[in-house]
Structure formats: structure tokens, C-alpha cells
Amino acid sequence: MADDLNDLTDDEVSESSEALIAVHWREEGYYPPPAKFVQQANASDPAIREQFTEDKYPECFRAYADLLTWNKPWHTTLDTSNAPFWKWFVGGEINASYNCVDRHLETHPNKAALIWVPEPESDAHQAITYRELYVRVNEFAAVLKDLGLKAGDRITFHMPMVPELPIAMLAAARLGIVHSQVFAGFSGTAAGHRIADSASRVLVTMDGYYRSGDLLDHKVKADEAVEAAAKEGQEVDKVLIFRRYPGQYSAKTPLVEGRDVFVDDLLAAHKGEVVEPARLAATDPLFLMYTSGTTGRPKGCQHSIGGYLAYVAGTSKFYQDIHPDDTYWCMADIGWITGHSYIVYGPLALGTTSVIYEGTPNYPDAGRPWRVAKQLGVNIFHTSPTSIRMLRKVGPDEPAKYDFHFKHMTTVGEPIEPEVWRWYYDNVGKDEAVIVDTWWQTETGGFLGSTLPGIDPMKPGSCGPAVLGIYPVILDEDGNEVPQGSGKAGNICIRNPWPGGFQTIWGQPERFVSTYYAKYNKDPDSKDWHDWPYFAGDGAVQAADGYFRILGRVDDVINVAGHRLGTKELESAALTVPEIAEAAAVPVMDDIRGRVVEMYVSLKPGIEPTPAVAAKVTDAIVTDIGKIARPRNIWIVPDMPKTRSGKIMRRVIAATSNFTDVGDITTLANPEVVEKIRHQVQSAKLAKGEVPRELSETELNEIKSFGAE
Ligand code: WTA
């Protein structure tokens, strides 16, 4: 036993010190923001930074809150009495729906709030003015009210990229109903887990939507979701179904009598009805957004009304540089935090025009985004490195063929390679657009690291300095500060609370504290925010100029195409297959999607390793999580490399899948298996043409320390 413990400690010590390896990379040159951009920027005077220095904190965030219309002003900007459950704008009353809709009717009722672009290119786009948005939000709010939903209740949406999604969100927000939108690409079962976790009794979905040319049956997922939720003890009494084509049912899946209803039928009884926006406490919850962590149970990140809305409005203004007359297009999905903050709440709070696109960016070809940009006159464009890599690969010369001009572009969700950044800058931005590389998380509500686009020079591959009012620090495993310019990586933390930060994990307050604060908190009784650095779970380096380079997750989360997948979620899905004894998920570097997942499984005694068993594992993952989690390969191995205490050494199999050095294996209980697995996996990969490429130092470090936690 003592032997086992020593063994475990040894592994952990050597692995955690690996998280702090010196990182060397070529220093990239600076790009100054184009003069034309600077002239019109919302923030062009560097003095703005002085308004957000630490001596002015937390009152500095009044500048963001003042962008909103309040029913009642707050009396306490930041209340830390129940640390680390921070409360912002306490005493204030506000309604998010009012702020994103009603108040714009006075100034520009006939301007498009949303422009929806259906995937089939033959279908015309639809502009929804602020007045129309007001009408539709009110009518749907009337429907929700009629169902007996009230402030504080939860409602789950499993909606694709259609205008009905922001309409439903704003209708819920109008009444104080806490919405939880689940990404449409997630499976019905995944939606069901989230319904159960949030205890929602109403699910809002759509019959179908277009993806890569196919009209998908989405309603079928509602049936799976309701069943999965019921297994966890949560009954869903109503499934509200929007119709992709009004008056016509686009799914094959039959309706369930008494439970399933078409929204257009319900709306008929509420034509023109107006629902007063509820006066809600700024500290009340606005929505839950589920994300993956290190356990199998997703975390429902709870965001507040006042703090969140202030933060996304402020960052949309200064970092997205949104002006009311801009046409802004963020290609993210509203099912992720990026869409909540920077398609719906931030842009609409500022009264701009936000474009929503239904389908895949390269449908029917790689010129599609640029045609949309040209047709609609989009001047602010926002997307992920995965989309940029893909559009570059399939159509590097496409942007030049279309006459569109962006003033501003964003990249978000994963690190971007300098080479990819430069293609984006030169070819998509045509050397006239500024780029912001925004680092942040589901938990943080809005940006944490980014250049101020009209002020700071850009540096490819670095997100830039901390954003206004955010005071980060890089800490080593012992809590010592890793100095700026030292070339050393560590754990990036945010020293202070900020208004956009999540309030708690729904139903798991102890997990909120243990995951994000326990690591560096020295006194659990302290009510002083200085004692509670927020642990972001990302590795980072800070260059001498203060710019941060984000290296990726330090936990067991795999970032696939900018989407977080927890290894435990993948593994528990694999373990639902009766033949499987053990499962481990590892990341494999991919030129387009950043990372993809590979699974290693071992079988119960007497089971034959057949392709059918592997296929079952894939199916289980797709059913439990969704297509986005589909592993590239399932490797059925004779045994997993393990420590003597039985811990699977994920870094060893990660190295195998990535053709990198497996490192020290002398502490393994079964070192002989490593070579067997290496031979099996690598020869199969080479036979399939999965040829390894040279990895960057950052990527090598990620593999070396994978699964260390
Ligand atoms: C990663 C997405 C490098 C990071 C908004 C973080 C990034 C996780 C960047 C959060 C960026 C996000 N550069 N890495 N600009 N932005 N990340 O919760 O690892 O889906 O912890 O939020 O994505 O992913 P999430």
C-alpha cells in the first residue's frame, strides 16, 4: 500500500513540474491597428486604461453598467461577503429583454436587429427589425407565461441557429425564467442530462434545420432528451416545437399527444400581446450554460442578469467595437457562450444588427461566408481558428473574389497559429481590418485577454494584455508568481472578480469553490477578494511586453474545434458498452480542428476485439454527447499502461497517438504493454495514411502533461 502511494506521488510530482516547462517560440512582430479603424474606434485614447486601474476598482465597472437602462440603481457595486460567490450591482433592478429590445424602439424601431441567413442559398435572408423583435419576444413570452412559467424557473432550449432562438431567450429573460440553451449538435441524451440537472419541465426545440445541405430531423432528439431526463427523475410536461417552415412539419418523428405542441399554434392565441418586462434583481440568474470539466457531470455555469449584461455590453463596445450602425456577424453557434455573449446579449444591448447563419460555413462552397458578407454589408466578423483553418484550406483565394470589407475581425476559442493568423489578416481582412484574439471561457461570461483594437498593436498567436478591469497573474504549482518575461509557463489566474464572471455551478456550489478557487485560496474564511484568485485551468506565458500567450487546458479537457470535451464524459460514454472494461480518451493534434479525440479501450475477459465492438463505442459516444465528440479512432488494446496504483497513464497513450516520445515509463506497473500498443496503433495509423506532422513545443508539452491532474 505504502509502495502504491509513493508511486502515485512520484508520478504527480514529475508531471506537475512538467506543466511549468520553459516555453520558447519565435517572437512575432507587431501589427499596428489600421489608421482608418483607429479614427472611428470606440476606444482610441489610451487614457481609457487609467479609468480601469486597480485603485479605481470595482467602481470602474460603472462605465459598463451605465451602458444599460436600470429600473433601479444599485447601492453596492461589489459585495464580497459570501466569498467567492461575488455579487455585482447589488440592490439594482434590471431586465435584460428590455435592454436588448424595448429601449431601442425609441431610437431605431425599423433597423434590423437580426438578419437570419438560411443555409440553402436559394432561400432569401430575413431581416427582423427591432419592432418585429419586440412583437415576437412579447408573444412568445405570453406563451411561456401561459404555461405557468415564472421568474426563477428553468427552461431548456435545444435549438438550432434560427431567429426563434434569440427570441425565445429574450422572452424567457423578460419574465426572469432562467434559460439553458443546449447546442443543437449535442445529442438528445446530452440535452436530457442537462434538462435533468437544471430541473426544467419545458423543452423548446425545432422540427428540423439545415446542415451541409440536409434538412435534419431534430425533433427526434427531443424524444430522446425527454426519455433521458425521465431516467434521472425529471419529467418534461411540454415540448414546444418551432417549425422550420411555418404550417408544415419538417420532421418524420411523430408528436406525442398532450406533450408536444407547435409553437405557431400556441402563438395564435397571443397575437400582439404585450408582456411587461419583470423588474428583476441584478443578481438574479439570467441563464445557465453547461460546459465540460474533469468529471462526467457537466457544469451549469450560472450567469447573472446585471453583471453579465453590463460586462458583455462593455466588452462588445470596446473590444468588438460595435457601433449601432454596424452589421455584425459572429459565426459561432448560440449554443455556446460566444453566441450568448457576442451574438445575442452584447450586440443587441448596444442596438446593432446581428447576423445569424443557419448552416456550415463552407456550404455549398468555401466562398459562402464572403458572399454573405458582401450581400449584407457585414463590417465586423467573428469566428474561430477552426473555421479560419478550414476556410483557408478549402478556399485560400476565395475572399479575394468578393467585394466585402471588414473593419474588425475576432478569433476565439482556441490558440491560433501565427501562420493562420496572417492568412486571416491578409486575405480575409485584406490588410485593412484589425484583429482581436479574445481569450475567455464559458465561466467568465466575456473576454479576459485581448488587445484594445484601436489602441494596442496586434501580435499573432498572443491574445494580448488583460482586458480593462481584469488583473491576471500566472502562478506556479506552489502559488508563486511566474514573472512576466521569464519565458516560463504557469497557470493563468484572475486576481479579481469582474461583473461577467459566473455566479456558481447550478446545484454544485462546492464544486464551484473547489474547481476554481480552492487551488490558490489561502484562507477559506476570507471575505477579501484578494485572497481568492480565479483558477482558469489554462496554461499561459506572459511576454516582456505584457501580452499573454494561452497554451491550452491544464486539466483533462480536450478542446476539439474550440469546444470543450471532458475526458471523463467520453470515457463514461464508452463504458456504457457492456463489452468494455476500461476506457481512456486522449487528444490528437489536427491541422484543422486543433485537436480530435482518440479512445483507447480494453475489453472484458473473453470478448473478441472486433470492429463491431469499436463501432459500438463510437455509437455510444455520439449518442451520449453528440457528433462533435466522434473519436477519430477507437483502439482496442490488450491492456492500458498503468501506474502501480492502477491509474491509467494518459500521457503515454497520448504520446503514442501523436507519435511523440512516451517519456519515462519505469514507474509503470506494466511497462511492456507500451511497446505493444505503440506498434499496434502506429502501424495502423500509417496504413490509414494518418502521417504524423512535426509538433510545436506547446503541443509537445500538452501531450507530455496530459492527464496529469
Ligand atoms: C480556450 C470559449 C487560446 C481556453 C469562449 C479556454 C482560447 C477554453 C482562446 C474555453 C484564445 C478560448 N486563445 N485559447 N483566444 N479562447 N480558449 O468555455 O483553453 O468554450 O479555457 O469558451 O478555450 O472554452 P469555452
Side-chain angles (χ1 to χ4, degrees), residues 291 337-338 411-415 437-443 536 538 550 552-553 559 562 564:
T291 192
I337 192 69
T338 302
T411 165
V412 61
E414 349 149 39
D437 178 346
T438 57
W439 168 67
W440 59 296
Q441 310 175 305
T442 303
E443 293 86 340
D538 276 324
I550 304 299
R553 305 289 311 178
N559 190 333
R564 286 159 63 173

PDB file of all heavy atoms in Angstrom, residues 291 337-338 411-415 437-443 536 538 550 552-553 559 562 564, ligand 1:
ATOM      1  N   THR A 291     -21.008  23.368 -19.462  1.00  0.00           N
ATOM      2  CA  THR A 291     -19.705  23.135 -20.065  1.00  0.00           C
ATOM      3  C   THR A 291     -19.072  21.910 -19.421  1.00  0.00           C
ATOM      4  O   THR A 291     -19.520  21.443 -18.372  1.00  0.00           O
ATOM      5  CB  THR A 291     -18.797  24.373 -19.952  1.00  0.00           C
ATOM      6  OG1 THR A 291     -17.649  24.175 -20.790  1.00  0.00           O
ATOM      7  CG2 THR A 291     -18.319  24.603 -18.532  1.00  0.00           C
ATOM      8  N   ILE A 337     -21.183  29.740 -25.317  1.00  0.00           N
ATOM      9  CA  ILE A 337     -21.158  31.037 -24.623  1.00  0.00           C
ATOM     10  C   ILE A 337     -20.866  32.174 -25.596  1.00  0.00           C
ATOM     11  O   ILE A 337     -21.401  33.270 -25.453  1.00  0.00           O
ATOM     12  CB  ILE A 337     -20.145  31.013 -23.445  1.00  0.00           C
ATOM     13  CG1 ILE A 337     -20.325  32.246 -22.548  1.00  0.00           C
ATOM     14  CG2 ILE A 337     -18.712  30.930 -23.936  1.00  0.00           C
ATOM     15  CD1 ILE A 337     -21.580  32.281 -21.748  1.00  0.00           C
ATOM     16  N   THR A 338     -20.032  31.935 -26.604  1.00  0.00           N
ATOM     17  CA  THR A 338     -19.707  33.007 -27.544  1.00  0.00           C
ATOM     18  C   THR A 338     -20.979  33.566 -28.178  1.00  0.00           C
ATOM     19  O   THR A 338     -21.131  34.781 -28.323  1.00  0.00           O
ATOM     20  CB  THR A 338     -18.745  32.498 -28.639  1.00  0.00           C
ATOM     21  OG1 THR A 338     -17.577  32.004 -27.996  1.00  0.00           O
ATOM     22  CG2 THR A 338     -18.352  33.597 -29.605  1.00  0.00           C
ATOM     23  N   THR A 411     -11.022  36.380 -33.375  1.00  0.00           N
ATOM     24  CA  THR A 411     -10.786  34.944 -33.308  1.00  0.00           C
ATOM     25  C   THR A 411     -10.965  34.545 -31.854  1.00  0.00           C
ATOM     26  O   THR A 411     -10.586  35.277 -30.953  1.00  0.00           O
ATOM     27  CB  THR A 411      -9.416  34.523 -33.877  1.00  0.00           C
ATOM     28  OG1 THR A 411      -9.136  33.182 -33.457  1.00  0.00           O
ATOM     29  CG2 THR A 411      -8.295  35.423 -33.418  1.00  0.00           C
ATOM     30  N   VAL A 412     -11.570  33.382 -31.626  1.00  0.00           N
ATOM     31  CA  VAL A 412     -11.919  32.979 -30.262  1.00  0.00           C
ATOM     32  C   VAL A 412     -11.956  31.473 -30.115  1.00  0.00           C
ATOM     33  O   VAL A 412     -12.251  30.770 -31.077  1.00  0.00           O
ATOM     34  CB  VAL A 412     -13.310  33.530 -29.871  1.00  0.00           C
ATOM     35  CG1 VAL A 412     -14.409  33.003 -30.770  1.00  0.00           C
ATOM     36  CG2 VAL A 412     -13.651  33.203 -28.405  1.00  0.00           C
ATOM     37  N   GLY A 413     -11.664  30.993 -28.937  1.00  0.00           N
ATOM     38  CA  GLY A 413     -11.954  29.607 -28.600  1.00  0.00           C
ATOM     39  C   GLY A 413     -10.773  28.676 -28.534  1.00  0.00           C
ATOM     40  O   GLY A 413     -10.824  27.653 -27.857  1.00  0.00           O
ATOM     41  N   GLU A 414      -9.709  28.974 -29.239  1.00  0.00           N
ATOM     42  CA  GLU A 414      -8.510  28.129 -29.209  1.00  0.00           C
ATOM     43  C   GLU A 414      -7.346  29.008 -29.622  1.00  0.00           C
ATOM     44  O   GLU A 414      -7.549  30.064 -30.224  1.00  0.00           O
ATOM     45  CB  GLU A 414      -8.579  26.952 -30.188  1.00  0.00           C
ATOM     46  CG  GLU A 414      -9.888  26.682 -30.822  1.00  0.00           C
ATOM     47  CD  GLU A 414      -9.740  26.098 -32.228  1.00  0.00           C
ATOM     48  OE1 GLU A 414      -8.844  25.276 -32.465  1.00  0.00           O
ATOM     49  OE2 GLU A 414     -10.538  26.472 -33.084  1.00  0.00           O
ATOM     50  N   PRO A 415      -6.149  28.541 -29.331  1.00  0.00           N
ATOM     51  CA  PRO A 415      -4.997  29.299 -29.800  1.00  0.00           C
ATOM     52  C   PRO A 415      -4.966  29.292 -31.330  1.00  0.00           C
ATOM     53  O   PRO A 415      -5.348  28.317 -31.960  1.00  0.00           O
ATOM     54  CB  PRO A 415      -3.801  28.508 -29.245  1.00  0.00           C
ATOM     55  CG  PRO A 415      -4.348  27.649 -28.147  1.00  0.00           C
ATOM     56  CD  PRO A 415      -5.762  27.350 -28.534  1.00  0.00           C
ATOM     57  N   ASP A 437      -7.801  38.767 -30.808  1.00  0.00           N
ATOM     58  CA  ASP A 437      -7.749  37.361 -30.415  1.00  0.00           C
ATOM     59  C   ASP A 437      -8.217  37.348 -28.968  1.00  0.00           C
ATOM     60  O   ASP A 437      -7.508  37.800 -28.072  1.00  0.00           O
ATOM     61  CB  ASP A 437      -6.299  36.868 -30.550  1.00  0.00           C
ATOM     62  CG  ASP A 437      -6.119  35.416 -30.120  1.00  0.00           C
ATOM     63  OD1 ASP A 437      -7.033  34.856 -29.480  1.00  0.00           O
ATOM     64  OD2 ASP A 437      -5.049  34.852 -30.407  1.00  0.00           O
ATOM     65  N   THR A 438      -9.455  36.879 -28.758  1.00  0.00           N
ATOM     66  CA  THR A 438     -10.072  37.042 -27.440  1.00  0.00           C
ATOM     67  C   THR A 438      -9.998  35.745 -26.654  1.00  0.00           C
ATOM     68  O   THR A 438     -10.537  34.726 -27.070  1.00  0.00           O
ATOM     69  CB  THR A 438     -11.543  37.467 -27.605  1.00  0.00           C
ATOM     70  OG1 THR A 438     -12.217  36.491 -28.403  1.00  0.00           O
ATOM     71  CG2 THR A 438     -11.638  38.826 -28.283  1.00  0.00           C
ATOM     72  N   TRP A 439      -9.336  35.803 -25.528  1.00  0.00           N
ATOM     73  CA  TRP A 439      -9.253  34.637 -24.643  1.00  0.00           C
ATOM     74  C   TRP A 439     -10.257  34.786 -23.509  1.00  0.00           C
ATOM     75  O   TRP A 439     -10.291  35.810 -22.839  1.00  0.00           O
ATOM     76  CB  TRP A 439      -7.840  34.506 -24.048  1.00  0.00           C
ATOM     77  CG  TRP A 439      -7.823  33.499 -22.934  1.00  0.00           C
ATOM     78  CD1 TRP A 439      -8.027  32.158 -23.045  1.00  0.00           C
ATOM     79  CD2 TRP A 439      -7.639  33.760 -21.539  1.00  0.00           C
ATOM     80  NE1 TRP A 439      -7.983  31.565 -21.808  1.00  0.00           N
ATOM     81  CE2 TRP A 439      -7.739  32.530 -20.867  1.00  0.00           C
ATOM     82  CE3 TRP A 439      -7.403  34.928 -20.797  1.00  0.00           C
ATOM     83  CZ2 TRP A 439      -7.613  32.420 -19.479  1.00  0.00           C
ATOM     84  CZ3 TRP A 439      -7.280  34.820 -19.417  1.00  0.00           C
ATOM     85  CH2 TRP A 439      -7.379  33.575 -18.770  1.00  0.00           C
ATOM     86  N   TRP A 440     -11.076  33.779 -23.333  1.00  0.00           N
ATOM     87  CA  TRP A 440     -12.047  33.763 -22.237  1.00  0.00           C
ATOM     88  C   TRP A 440     -12.686  32.399 -22.162  1.00  0.00           C
ATOM     89  O   TRP A 440     -12.228  31.469 -22.828  1.00  0.00           O
ATOM     90  CB  TRP A 440     -13.071  34.886 -22.389  1.00  0.00           C
ATOM     91  CG  TRP A 440     -13.883  34.862 -23.671  1.00  0.00           C
ATOM     92  CD1 TRP A 440     -13.413  35.011 -24.945  1.00  0.00           C
ATOM     93  CD2 TRP A 440     -15.299  34.685 -23.790  1.00  0.00           C
ATOM     94  NE1 TRP A 440     -14.461  34.949 -25.838  1.00  0.00           N
ATOM     95  CE2 TRP A 440     -15.619  34.755 -25.154  1.00  0.00           C
ATOM     96  CE3 TRP A 440     -16.344  34.504 -22.865  1.00  0.00           C
ATOM     97  CZ2 TRP A 440     -16.932  34.632 -25.627  1.00  0.00           C
ATOM     98  CZ3 TRP A 440     -17.645  34.384 -23.326  1.00  0.00           C
ATOM     99  CH2 TRP A 440     -17.931  34.442 -24.702  1.00  0.00           C
ATOM    100  N   GLN A 441     -13.743  32.249 -21.369  1.00  0.00           N
ATOM    101  CA  GLN A 441     -14.337  30.936 -21.109  1.00  0.00           C
ATOM    102  C   GLN A 441     -15.840  31.047 -20.832  1.00  0.00           C
ATOM    103  O   GLN A 441     -16.325  32.127 -20.471  1.00  0.00           O
ATOM    104  CB  GLN A 441     -13.698  30.336 -19.851  1.00  0.00           C
ATOM    105  CG  GLN A 441     -12.196  30.354 -19.865  1.00  0.00           C
ATOM    106  CD  GLN A 441     -11.620  29.856 -18.565  1.00  0.00           C
ATOM    107  OE1 GLN A 441     -11.944  30.370 -17.500  1.00  0.00           O
ATOM    108  NE2 GLN A 441     -10.772  28.851 -18.646  1.00  0.00           N
ATOM    109  N   THR A 442     -16.513  29.919 -20.926  1.00  0.00           N
ATOM    110  CA  THR A 442     -17.925  29.849 -20.565  1.00  0.00           C
ATOM    111  C   THR A 442     -18.154  30.474 -19.188  1.00  0.00           C
ATOM    112  O   THR A 442     -19.109  31.207 -18.961  1.00  0.00           O
ATOM    113  CB  THR A 442     -18.368  28.365 -20.524  1.00  0.00           C
ATOM    114  OG1 THR A 442     -18.093  27.790 -21.794  1.00  0.00           O
ATOM    115  CG2 THR A 442     -19.839  28.228 -20.200  1.00  0.00           C
ATOM    116  N   GLU A 443     -17.258  30.156 -18.281  1.00  0.00           N
ATOM    117  CA  GLU A 443     -17.388  30.614 -16.906  1.00  0.00           C
ATOM    118  C   GLU A 443     -17.269  32.126 -16.774  1.00  0.00           C
ATOM    119  O   GLU A 443     -17.809  32.731 -15.856  1.00  0.00           O
ATOM    120  CB  GLU A 443     -16.271  29.986 -16.047  1.00  0.00           C
ATOM    121  CG  GLU A 443     -16.355  28.486 -15.845  1.00  0.00           C
ATOM    122  CD  GLU A 443     -15.689  27.678 -16.971  1.00  0.00           C
ATOM    123  OE1 GLU A 443     -15.483  28.217 -18.092  1.00  0.00           O
ATOM    124  OE2 GLU A 443     -15.375  26.500 -16.730  1.00  0.00           O
ATOM    125  N   ALA A 536      -8.188  29.548 -13.870  1.00  0.00           N
ATOM    126  CA  ALA A 536      -8.883  29.403 -15.148  1.00  0.00           C
ATOM    127  C   ALA A 536      -8.715  28.018 -15.772  1.00  0.00           C
ATOM    128  O   ALA A 536      -9.470  27.649 -16.664  1.00  0.00           O
ATOM    129  CB  ALA A 536      -8.388  30.467 -16.123  1.00  0.00           C
ATOM    130  N   ASP A 538      -6.121  27.138 -17.556  1.00  0.00           N
ATOM    131  CA  ASP A 538      -5.327  27.259 -18.778  1.00  0.00           C
ATOM    132  C   ASP A 538      -3.868  27.526 -18.426  1.00  0.00           C
ATOM    133  O   ASP A 538      -3.582  28.269 -17.491  1.00  0.00           O
ATOM    134  CB  ASP A 538      -5.820  28.442 -19.633  1.00  0.00           C
ATOM    135  CG  ASP A 538      -6.998  28.075 -20.510  1.00  0.00           C
ATOM    136  OD1 ASP A 538      -7.041  26.929 -21.000  1.00  0.00           O
ATOM    137  OD2 ASP A 538      -7.879  28.929 -20.707  1.00  0.00           O
ATOM    138  N   ILE A 550      -1.798  31.996 -24.660  1.00  0.00           N
ATOM    139  CA  ILE A 550      -2.528  30.931 -23.976  1.00  0.00           C
ATOM    140  C   ILE A 550      -2.103  29.601 -24.581  1.00  0.00           C
ATOM    141  O   ILE A 550      -2.127  29.426 -25.802  1.00  0.00           O
ATOM    142  CB  ILE A 550      -4.056  31.122 -24.126  1.00  0.00           C
ATOM    143  CG1 ILE A 550      -4.474  32.514 -23.608  1.00  0.00           C
ATOM    144  CG2 ILE A 550      -4.832  30.007 -23.426  1.00  0.00           C
ATOM    145  CD1 ILE A 550      -4.184  32.794 -22.157  1.00  0.00           C
ATOM    146  N   GLY A 552      -3.277  26.435 -23.560  1.00  0.00           N
ATOM    147  CA  GLY A 552      -4.306  25.388 -23.592  1.00  0.00           C
ATOM    148  C   GLY A 552      -4.622  24.899 -22.191  1.00  0.00           C
ATOM    149  O   GLY A 552      -4.033  25.347 -21.208  1.00  0.00           O
ATOM    150  N   ARG A 553      -5.534  23.952 -22.135  1.00  0.00           N
ATOM    151  CA  ARG A 553      -6.052  23.474 -20.846  1.00  0.00           C
ATOM    152  C   ARG A 553      -4.978  22.735 -20.058  1.00  0.00           C
ATOM    153  O   ARG A 553      -4.175  22.001 -20.627  1.00  0.00           O
ATOM    154  CB  ARG A 553      -7.220  22.516 -21.094  1.00  0.00           C
ATOM    155  CG  ARG A 553      -8.345  23.086 -21.933  1.00  0.00           C
ATOM    156  CD  ARG A 553      -9.151  24.115 -21.237  1.00  0.00           C
ATOM    157  NE  ARG A 553      -9.577  23.692 -19.912  1.00  0.00           N
ATOM    158  CZ  ARG A 553     -10.291  24.477 -19.083  1.00  0.00           C
ATOM    159  NH1 ARG A 553     -10.640  25.686 -19.453  1.00  0.00           N
ATOM    160  NH2 ARG A 553     -10.631  24.031 -17.897  1.00  0.00           N
ATOM    161  N   ASN A 559      -9.900  20.277 -26.199  1.00  0.00           N
ATOM    162  CA  ASN A 559     -10.534  21.357 -26.953  1.00  0.00           C
ATOM    163  C   ASN A 559     -10.624  20.943 -28.425  1.00  0.00           C
ATOM    164  O   ASN A 559      -9.659  21.045 -29.166  1.00  0.00           O
ATOM    165  CB  ASN A 559      -9.708  22.633 -26.766  1.00  0.00           C
ATOM    166  CG  ASN A 559     -10.406  23.864 -27.307  1.00  0.00           C
ATOM    167  OD1 ASN A 559     -11.227  23.767 -28.225  1.00  0.00           O
ATOM    168  ND2 ASN A 559     -10.087  25.025 -26.755  1.00  0.00           N
ATOM    169  N   GLY A 562     -12.469  24.130 -30.821  1.00  0.00           N
ATOM    170  CA  GLY A 562     -12.914  25.212 -29.948  1.00  0.00           C
ATOM    171  C   GLY A 562     -14.004  24.799 -28.968  1.00  0.00           C
ATOM    172  O   GLY A 562     -14.555  25.630 -28.268  1.00  0.00           O
ATOM    173  N   ARG A 564     -15.160  22.359 -25.730  1.00  0.00           N
ATOM    174  CA  ARG A 564     -14.568  21.610 -24.638  1.00  0.00           C
ATOM    175  C   ARG A 564     -15.246  20.261 -24.446  1.00  0.00           C
ATOM    176  O   ARG A 564     -16.449  20.178 -24.283  1.00  0.00           O
ATOM    177  CB  ARG A 564     -14.706  22.419 -23.351  1.00  0.00           C
ATOM    178  CG  ARG A 564     -13.759  23.577 -23.306  1.00  0.00           C
ATOM    179  CD  ARG A 564     -14.208  24.644 -22.350  1.00  0.00           C
ATOM    180  NE  ARG A 564     -14.264  24.170 -20.986  1.00  0.00           N
ATOM    181  CZ  ARG A 564     -14.501  24.973 -19.957  1.00  0.00           C
ATOM    182  NH1 ARG A 564     -14.704  26.269 -20.143  1.00  0.00           N
ATOM    183  NH2 ARG A 564     -14.546  24.497 -18.746  1.00  0.00           N
TER     184      ARG A 564
HETATM  185  C1  WTA B   1      -9.646  28.085 -24.851  1.00  0.00           C
HETATM  186  C2  WTA B   1     -14.920  29.814 -25.277  1.00  0.00           C
HETATM  187  C3  WTA B   1      -6.422  30.393 -26.815  1.00  0.00           C
HETATM  188  C4  WTA B   1      -9.054  28.066 -23.452  1.00  0.00           C
HETATM  189  C5  WTA B   1     -15.005  31.339 -25.260  1.00  0.00           C
HETATM  190  C6  WTA B   1     -10.263  28.234 -22.562  1.00  0.00           C
HETATM  191  C7  WTA B   1      -8.540  30.007 -26.026  1.00  0.00           C
HETATM  192  C8  WTA B   1     -11.320  27.476 -23.317  1.00  0.00           C
HETATM  193  C9  WTA B   1      -8.963  31.259 -26.519  1.00  0.00           C
HETATM  194  C10 WTA B   1     -12.697  27.986 -23.017  1.00  0.00           C
HETATM  195  C11 WTA B   1      -8.000  32.073 -27.214  1.00  0.00           C
HETATM  196  C12 WTA B   1     -10.639  30.291 -25.533  1.00  0.00           C
HETATM  197  N1  WTA B   1      -6.753  31.590 -27.315  1.00  0.00           N
HETATM  198  N2  WTA B   1      -7.280  29.586 -26.174  1.00  0.00           N
HETATM  199  N3  WTA B   1      -8.317  33.239 -27.741  1.00  0.00           N
HETATM  200  N4  WTA B   1     -10.271  31.398 -26.204  1.00  0.00           N
HETATM  201  N5  WTA B   1      -9.616  29.429 -25.431  1.00  0.00           N
HETATM  202  O1  WTA B   1     -15.596  27.645 -22.311  1.00  0.00           O
HETATM  203  O2  WTA B   1      -8.436  26.820 -23.236  1.00  0.00           O
HETATM  204  O3  WTA B   1     -15.904  27.026 -24.736  1.00  0.00           O
HETATM  205  O4  WTA B   1     -10.082  27.728 -21.266  1.00  0.00           O
HETATM  206  O5  WTA B   1     -15.236  29.316 -24.033  1.00  0.00           O
HETATM  207  O6  WTA B   1     -10.999  27.673 -24.689  1.00  0.00           O
HETATM  208  O7  WTA B   1     -13.647  27.385 -23.855  1.00  0.00           O
HETATM  209  P1  WTA B   1     -15.175  27.785 -23.724  1.00  0.00           P
END
